Amino acid sequence: MKISLISIISLCLISCAPAKSSYFGEESWVGLTESGAEISFSKLEKEEIALNVYSPDCVPCWKEIPALNLLYAEIESQFPSKALYMVVDPYQIVPDISDDRPFGEVYQLAKQRMEIEIKNRKIQVPIVFMKPPFRVKEGGLITGTPETMLFVTKPMRLYYNFLGSISEQASADVIRKDAKFNFFRYQFGMESL
């Protein structure tokens, strides 16, 4: 009797245990591309997604662009089950904007600012303008820039968070030798250490 009671309780606990899931609301993260297409990251047909959080006011973000461009080219050509996006919080990158302004209006202003960034800084990584509840702010998941989050999908779940630049080197040869760059590649399943 005691064994069957333990078995029943064990089965109940196992069947009632929560599945791997999101704890930061990233399942609901949605954004708009430069062309206005909506992207829901949890619905992308990718196994892993890297989201690099960028701000035009962040000098380490600028310095990181050559490394991100290099990673993006490699992912696109060799890793079809993975994706890298540069994401921005429109409410953070548009100066003197209040949180109560409509997203569509803020998106247009943020898009204008990022068009200049793309041209001047030669950004090749696709940019996504994140809708609320995504925010870069104190007390949230993302508190600053640059930051790169690695997610598995189905369900979308954060598994690693890089704070700071992946590399601030400018030359592709030097970037490829950078320990932090190679650690990112290892964590994202692009090579073994």
Side-chain angles (χ1 to χ4, degrees):
M1 177 75 170
K2 191 173 188 179
I3 292 176
S4 63
L5 182 58
I6 291 172
S7 297
I8 291 171
I9 291 171
S10 297
L11 284 172
C12 182
L13 288 174
I14 291 168
S15 64
C16 296
K20 288 182 181 179
S21 63
S22 163
Y23 299 106
F24 302 105
E26 62 268 29
E27 282 281 332
S28 65
W29 285 359
V30 175
L32 297 180
T33 65
E34 289 177 85
S35 67
E38 187 171 271
I39 289 183
S40 176
F41 292 103
S42 65
K43 294 180 182 165
L44 290 177
E45 293 300 319
K46 300 291 181 179
E47 293 174 15
E48 292 180 278
I49 299 169
L51 300 180
N52 174 267
V53 186
Y54 181 87
S55 172
D57 300 318
C58 164
V59 174
C61 294
W62 308 341
K63 292 181 177 181
E64 185 181 38
I65 291 169
L68 293 173
N69 286 342
L70 194 62
L71 285 167
Y72 176 70
E74 184 178 358
I75 290 166
E76 285 295 295
S77 66
Q78 298 176 33
F79 299 95
S81 67
K82 300 179 186 303
L84 169 64
Y85 293 93
M86 181 178 283
V87 298
V88 296
D89 176 354
Y91 290 88
Q92 183 212 20
I93 71 166
V94 175
D96 304 319
I97 203 86
S98 63
D99 288 352
D100 60 348
R101 296 280 287 276
F103 176 80
E105 182 181 320
V106 180
Y107 163 72
Q108 290 301 327
L109 295 169
K111 184 176 161 183
Q112 290 170 7
R113 186 159 192 213
M114 287 305 296
E115 285 170 352
I116 295 166
E117 288 292 298
I118 292 165
K119 182 180 175 192
N120 291 346
R121 307 215 187 274
K122 300 174 177 54
I123 298 170
Q124 297 167 7
V125 181
I127 296 168
V128 179
F129 300 85
M130 301 299 289
K131 291 182 173 183
F134 181 95
R135 290 306 309 268
V136 176
K137 65 178 182 178
E138 287 293 321
L141 173 60
I142 305 108
T143 58
T145 54
E147 190 167 326
T148 305
M149 298 168 290
L150 306 182
F151 296 92
V152 291
T153 59
K154 315 298 181 274
M156 190 165 164
R157 181 177 52 84
L158 177 69
Y159 72 87
Y160 203 89
N161 195 357
F162 283 84
L163 300 177
S165 303
I166 291 170
S167 176
E168 292 187 10
Q169 302 301 321
S171 157
D173 291 336
V174 177
I175 292 169
R176 286 188 182 99
K177 294 175 186 169
D178 187 313
K180 193 170 179 188
F181 177 83
N182 286 310
F183 183 68
F184 173 91
R185 292 181 75 252
Y186 171 75
Q187 285 295 332
F188 202 47
M190 297 170 69
E191 77 172 35
S192 57
L193 288 178

